[in-house]
């Protein structure tokens, strides 16, 4: 049965955020809100968490997982970014974008695309997510909470708790969340390729 954490959307309770972070460090798989929609999240090196996300979403090995980062300094530890790409990403963060970039050695091989050796990264613009990342002190391994055969992610914490109670360890609820996943931009070749149009404006990348 998943624990249910009710978090204030503008002023997250520090004690509650600490409890969520501790559960993640202990290997928990959580559902949490972002600036685009709800996501599944676990600790960076958790093979069990990765396997559970793959099972819930029915993902194959080619799926790009995302490292949700606190800030640019943290993001730079996990992906290689040249000057031009840096400027483009900097101008778009924090925000509802996921960027696919070459992974550094800090990224576990099981998270990298098997052929491209890339990984997704993002810096969300969401008070609760930011508080959690600050407390955690490392990126959160994430994937959009979009269930198989469904067109839109779930938007209510209570609904997620009700439907996924048996496969999650915790649900973080801070009110209604969006239904549109992030815009995904692939910069692995050095040029911007729009992989998915979502919540983030694609105009600057076209």
């Amino acid at each position: 049965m998943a624990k249910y954490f009710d978090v204030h959307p503008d002023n997250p309770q520090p004690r509650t955020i600490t409890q969520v972070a501790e559960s993640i460090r202990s290997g928990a798989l959580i559902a949490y809100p972002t600036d685009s929609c709800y996501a599944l999240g676990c600790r960076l090196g958790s093979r069990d968490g990765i396997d559970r996300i793959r099972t819930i979403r029915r993902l194959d090995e080619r799926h790009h997982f995302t490292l949700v980062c606190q800030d640019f300094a943290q993001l730079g530890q996990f992906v290689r970014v040249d000057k031009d790409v840096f400027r483009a990403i900097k101008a778009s963060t924090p925000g509802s974008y996921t960027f696919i970039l070459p992974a550094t050695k800090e990224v576990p091989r099981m998270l990298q695309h098997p052929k491209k050796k890339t990984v997704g990264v993002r810096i969300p613009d969401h008070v609760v997510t930011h508080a959690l990342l600050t407390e955690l002190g490392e990126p959160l391994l994430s994937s959009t909470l979009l269930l198989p055969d469904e067109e839109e992610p779930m938007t209510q914490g209570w609904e997620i708790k009700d439907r996924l109670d048996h496969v999650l360890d915790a649900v973080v609820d801070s009110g209604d969340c969006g239904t549109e996943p992030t815009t995904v931009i692939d910069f692995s070749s050095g040029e911007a390729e729009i992989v998915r149009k979502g919540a983030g404006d694609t105009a600057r990348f076209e």
Side-chain angles (χ1 to χ4, degrees):
M1 182 177 292
K3 293 181 180 178
Y4 184 79
F5 295 98
D6 188 4
V7 181
H8 193 283
D10 301 315
N11 298 290
Q13 306 92 314
R15 184 170 177 271
T16 304
I17 292 297
T18 298
Q19 289 176 330
V20 177
E22 287 175 349
S23 68
I24 293 168
R25 293 190 191 102
S26 299
L29 175 63
I30 71 168
Y32 70 101
T34 75
D35 53 347
S36 57
C37 58
Y38 267 89
L40 297 169
C42 66
R43 195 168 188 182
L44 180 60
S46 175
R47 179 173 289 279
D48 176 66
I50 293 170
D51 290 342
R52 291 166 69 187
I53 291 173
R54 288 191 191 279
T55 299
I56 291 169
R57 293 202 55 201
R58 296 182 199 163
L59 302 172
D60 62 28
E61 64 176 11
R62 296 184 301 277
H63 176 76
H64 268 108
F65 283 99
T66 298
L67 302 182
V68 178
C69 300
Q70 177 184 347
D71 52 30
F72 235 96
Q74 192 176 74
L75 182 147
Q77 298 175 37
F78 297 92
V79 289
R80 298 195 301 274
V81 187
D82 66 27
K83 289 181 181 179
D84 292 337
V85 173
F86 175 89
R87 283 193 290 267
I89 295 177
K90 186 74 171 176
S92 306
T93 55
S96 301
Y97 297 91
T98 296
F99 300 99
I100 297 172
L101 289 159
T104 67
K105 293 180 180 179
E106 298 296 318
V107 179
R109 187 171 296 180
M110 60 184 172
L111 298 185
Q112 300 178 27
H113 189 282
K115 291 185 178 179
K116 297 179 179 180
K117 307 304 179 189
T118 49
V119 70
V121 287
R122 69 174 299 229
I123 303 172
D125 187 12
H126 193 279
V127 173
V128 174
T129 310
H130 190 267
L132 180 56
L133 291 169
T134 300
E135 177 66 28
L136 193 59
E138 62 181 45
L140 196 56
L141 169 63
S142 292
S143 182
T144 302
L145 208 176
L146 181 61
L147 298 180
D149 305 320
E150 295 194 9
E151 294 184 1
E152 291 188 347
M154 286 181 283
T155 62
Q156 301 284 348
W158 62 265
E159 180 190 13
I160 294 168
K161 163 81 166 144
D162 186 54
R163 292 186 59 185
L164 300 179
D165 198 33
H166 59 298
V167 294
L168 295 177
D169 299 308
V171 175
V172 178
D173 189 351
S174 62
D176 199 8
C177 206
T179 61
E180 200 169 14
T182 57
T183 290
V184 180
I185 310 294
D186 189 341
F187 268 119
S188 58
S189 68
E191 299 291 331
E193 177 189 347
I194 301 171
V195 177
R196 178 180 71 195
K197 290 188 177 184
D201 185 10
T202 60
R204 73 181 66 198
F205 302 106
E206 293 173 337

